[in-house]
Amino acid sequence: MTATALRPALAGRPPAASELTLSQIMDQHHTNLMGTVHGGRILNLIDSVAGVVAARHSDGPAVTAAIDETAFLQAVRVGDVVHVRARITWAGRSSMEVAVTVTADRWDRSVPATTVATAHLVMVAVDDLGQPRPIPPLLPQTDDDRRQYEQAEIRRRHRLALRRALTTHGGTA
Ligand SMILES: CCCCCCCCCCCCCCCC(=O)SCCNC(=O)CCNC(=O)[C@H](O)C(C)(C)COP(=O)(O)OP(=O)(O)OC[C@H]1O[C@@H](n2cnc3c(N)ncnc32)[C@H](O)[C@@H]1OP(=O)(O)O
């Protein structure tokens, strides 16, 4: 009998069990040369919150394998409060897709939040040696969960096909 066969199956979890929204006020330390908030700062928040959500789902550390489909939709300004919401949309053997939506409103006024960025990340749960480790399955609960799961499967097929194609053609620069 193999080690895998001996390992008990991990109990599935719904996306809602690990989802998280982190809010932060943007200040002058976050700006680029044009005076708006640096895209790298927003990406850093996206990556961190996705990492926390992946760790919650998988009960341990997870590393970023890919960040794709990132869109910066509107500039973020000093004094904006950004809300970074992350949710698992798909889980495989060791990898998870995390969808992140960033909205912003003002620190001193009650205005509706607008969406300023969106991203999808692939996070891989790793063991003490940095090797991929098994994770619980994702159990979509709502129609929206199921729709997101199906869309995530399409993105995964595309990612893996692109990776295979680029490897076949000698890899990327
Ligand atoms: C002020 C407030 C601030 C908040 C403050 C919070 C602080 C608290 C934050 C804590 C959260 C930090 C979160 C940051 C996390 C990093 O920044 S990590 C640093 C950057 N990332 C890295 O260094 C990763 C480097 N890469 C690697 O180590 C390896 O390539 C990996 C990712 C472990 C994969 O290893 P591998 O041997 O290639 O594994 P392989 O068996 O081929 O693939 C494993 C799985 O990954 C999938 N996969 C691998 N690569 C890809 C890819 N490119 N695309 C799609 N799928 C892939 C495979 O399909 C497979 O999926 P499953 O079928 O198992 O589900």
Side-chain angles (χ1 to χ4, degrees), residues 22 24 41 44-45 47-48 51-52 62-66 90-96 122-124 126 130-132 156 159-160 163:
L22 178 140
Q24 191 179 30
R41 177 62 195 154
N44 183 285
L45 286 171
D47 197 24
S48 294
V52 171
V63 295
T64 315
W90 180 90
R93 278 190 303 268
S94 67
S95 70
M96 296 151 267
V122 178
M123 310 297 297
V124 179
V126 290
Q131 294 303 308
R156 174 172 165 85
R159 266 183 218 114
L160 297 184
R163 209 156 60 126

Side-chain angles (χ1 to χ4, degrees), residues 23-34:
S23 298
Q24 191 179 30
I25 301 175
M26 295 291 110
D27 65 30
Q28 65 278 15
H29 300 298
H30 302 129
T31 56
N32 55 35
L33 291 176
M34 290 170 296

Side-chain angles (χ1 to χ4, degrees), residues 1-7:
M1 198 180 280
T2 65
T4 309
L6 288 170
R7 199 181 296 130

Side-chain angles (χ1 to χ4, degrees), residues 111-134:
V111 291
T114 51
T115 302
V116 293
T118 58
H120 291 96
L121 298 87
V122 178
M123 310 297 297
V124 179
V126 290
D127 61 19
D128 292 345
L129 300 173
Q131 294 303 308
R133 64 182 167 85

